[in-house]
Amino acid sequence: MGKTAEAIAEGVSIASAAARLAVRNHILVETIAHDAPFDIATTAPFAHDTLIALAEEQEAAAALAKRQRKKAWGKFTDPDGTHDYRDRDMRNLRKRHRQYIGVAKELRRIAEDPHAVRTLVEQSRDAAWGDVEANLQRRLRVEGMRPDLDPDYDRMRVARMQSLRLVDLPRLAAHRRHLADDADPADAVNGPPSPRASGIDLSELDA
């Protein structure tokens, strides 16, 4: 289990990362989906509530560990499953309880510290803007890419041409045949056989 202080610090770090992710997603939804302006003051309450919710999860885990410890006391038989604890597990369950309580206490302290909450919001904002910037750059690279600048152009061109020949052209030909089947037979005109390539009637591709 490691030292209690180290375990608490690691738990707080994990919970803080989860809080940043939640606040980041909140910022993205509010600014992009709801077209709301970003403001630290209006986002801070959400960050505070997120930290409190995470603290409550830790407290619930601590309460569970306490119940499990009481249930395990005096049991020396073989366990029936992973969470069927015995007397020999009492020490670890006691450590878990202390660790959960320690993480919850620290999260509540952070939630009540305006400076810490503001820092959390700013970090989440930076992460959100980083996601937006990465998506924009990715789209610009794709839409603005020229064949001579794309190192994978030749390799991917073969795949694209195969997809065109095996998927797109047959689909288009089937669509044209469907249109022809729905047409008036009196409008049909007999003529020479249509040229074909790779099993595709090229005349069906005429606009």
Side-chain angles (χ1 to χ4, degrees), residues 133-146 149-150:
E133 180 183 12
N135 287 333
L136 289 175
Q137 289 180 348
R138 186 158 50 247
R139 289 192 59 182
L140 289 174
R141 282 197 300 269
V142 171
E143 295 178 3
M145 181 65 72
R146 302 201 314 265
L149 299 178
D150 187 356

Side-chain angles (χ1 to χ4, degrees), residues 44-62:
F46 178 86
H48 171 274
D49 294 344
T50 300
L51 290 167
I52 294 299
L54 290 169
E56 291 173 347
E57 289 181 3
Q58 294 295 309
E59 291 164 348

Side-chain angles (χ1 to χ4, degrees), residues 26-106:
H26 174 76
I27 292 173
L28 289 173
V29 170
E30 291 300 313
T31 57
I32 296 179
H34 298 162
D35 197 26
F38 170 77
D39 181 59
I40 292 180
T42 57
T43 308
F46 178 86
H48 171 274
D49 294 344
T50 300
L51 290 167
I52 294 299
L54 290 169
E56 291 173 347
E57 289 181 3
Q58 294 295 309
E59 291 164 348
L64 175 61
K66 186 175 182 179
R67 292 195 301 271
Q68 290 172 332
R69 190 175 77 248
K70 290 182 177 180
K71 186 177 179 181
W73 184 80
K75 287 186 177 181
F76 299 97
T77 57
D78 292 333
D80 295 329
T82 303
H83 301 291
D84 186 21
Y85 298 105
R86 292 296 182 261
D87 194 87
R88 60 180 175 271
D89 300 312
M90 293 281 289
R91 183 182 177 187
N92 281 342
L93 289 171
R94 190 177 295 109
K95 283 184 177 180
R96 291 184 187 179
H97 179 267
R98 289 199 301 266
Q99 290 162 5
Y100 290 137
I101 291 297
V103 173
K105 183 178 180 180
E106 180 62 14

